[in-house]
Amino acid sequence: MFRRVSRLLLSFVMLMAGAVVGVGATAGAAHADSCYTWNRTLSQGSSGSDVTQLQIRVAGWVTSGERLSYDGQYGARTAAAVKKFQAAYGLAADGVAGSATFSKIYALQDADCTPVHFTYAELNKCNSDWSGGAVSAATAKANALKTMWKLEAMRHALGDVPLTISSGFRSRACNSAVGGSSTSRHLYGDAADLTGSPSFCRLAQQARTHGFSEILGPGYPDHNDHTHVALDPSPYWSAPNCGI
Ligand SMILES: [Zn+2]
């Protein structure tokens, strides 16, 4: 009871503070997202770091086997991915990233830039600082972010079903402890093991159109109890029990 009252009081105080701050604030000011804000419309021919930021968010919206480059160049493949993203979220699918597209992305991302349905903690149950893998901690964490955006796309395409991640980034020590391969993509931070529902085969099949170059599932040794997805530079899919 006390907690509820104090919370109410707190929201009232915040409301009042907001009202005071609101005086003199510019109405209709451009959206400032706490993660990243785009300041221009992007379309084919655009280039720059804002294009790369966009590519990270739409890389899960590709065709089977395709992997979008994070190269900062808004080419035909980026336009096609933006179109798929727009269509998936009920926006006008013109392949041009303007305010409607950015607003949807803002709604889909948290302040730490992770997509709303995934967290860094879910992608790293090994240690707190992403160290000890096959790449630098910063690279491992950045790779995990890219994987999360692909999973967000896959989750939406599956009908907004929650996806359960049993393992993501692993340091060499964590990887050895679970008997992972010495060349495992988990050491790079871009791998995720999916459990729960939908079925492992459904997950493996769906992953093909969301930018994962490595998919291992039922029928592949040691993968009957989860589906593994990752971004391996050497593409390899194997889930024989699922027709993959
Ligand atoms: Zn795995």
Side-chain angles (χ1 to χ4, degrees):
M1 184 59 190
F2 170 73
R3 197 171 272 185
R4 185 183 294 175
V5 168
S6 55
R7 196 182 296 158
L8 273 171
L9 193 65
L10 183 66
S11 12
F12 178 71
V13 168
M14 286 168 75
L15 200 69
M16 291 311 289
V20 171
V21 169
V23 175
T26 313
H31 180 98
D33 188 80
S34 40
C35 158
Y36 184 83
T37 305
W38 282 270
N39 295 310
R40 58 172 181 155
T41 294
L42 301 174
S43 57
Q44 273 202 63
S46 298
S47 63
S49 58
D50 48 0
V51 174
T52 306
Q53 288 295 323
L54 176 66
Q55 288 170 329
I56 290 169
R57 272 82 170 173
V58 300
W61 295 103
V62 291
T63 55
S64 185
E66 184 191 352
R67 290 171 316 279
L68 193 66
S69 306
Y70 303 105
D71 60 2
Q73 304 294 323
Y74 202 121
R77 295 175 89 179
T78 299
V82 168
K83 238 182 227 187
K84 281 191 87 172
F85 172 88
Q86 292 168 328
Y89 287 100
L91 307 175
D94 58 4
V96 174
S99 57
T101 300
F102 295 137
S103 291
K104 179 42 82 176
I105 293 175
Y106 296 143
L108 283 174
Q109 73 185 2
D110 289 323
D112 66 357
C113 299
T114 57
V116 284
H117 298 104
F118 297 93
T119 64
Y120 281 119
E122 282 178 279
L123 268 286
N124 182 356
K125 299 172 198 281
C126 165
N127 61 29
S128 58
D129 62 3
W130 303 82
S131 66
V135 289
S136 73
T139 298
K141 193 175 178 183
N143 286 344
L145 182 68
K146 289 169 181 165
T147 289
M148 279 187 263
W149 278 100
K150 291 177 182 178
L151 291 173
E152 184 71 27
M154 182 167 149
R155 180 191 195 283
H156 187 61
L158 283 165
D160 294 316
V161 293
L163 297 182
T164 310
I165 299 165
S166 61
S167 183
F169 167 76
R170 294 177 198 153
S171 66
R172 292 196 185 282
C174 289
N175 192 54
S176 303
V178 296
S181 146
S182 60
T183 58
S184 169
R185 292 307 299 179
H186 288 281
L187 296 166
Y188 295 79
D190 56 41
D193 290 343
L194 305 173
T195 57
S197 60
S199 73
F200 305 140
C201 278
R202 183 91 182 85
L203 292 165
Q205 288 155 353
Q206 188 67 40
R208 296 175 295 186
T209 51
H210 296 289
F212 293 109
S213 60
E214 184 173 85
I215 303 169
L216 305 173
Y220 184 80
D222 300 325
H223 286 71
N224 287 330
D225 60 354
H226 70 283
T227 286
H228 162 108
V229 295
L231 180 65
D232 192 322
S234 316
Y236 184 69
W237 292 353
S238 182
N241 296 358
C242 316
I244 294 172

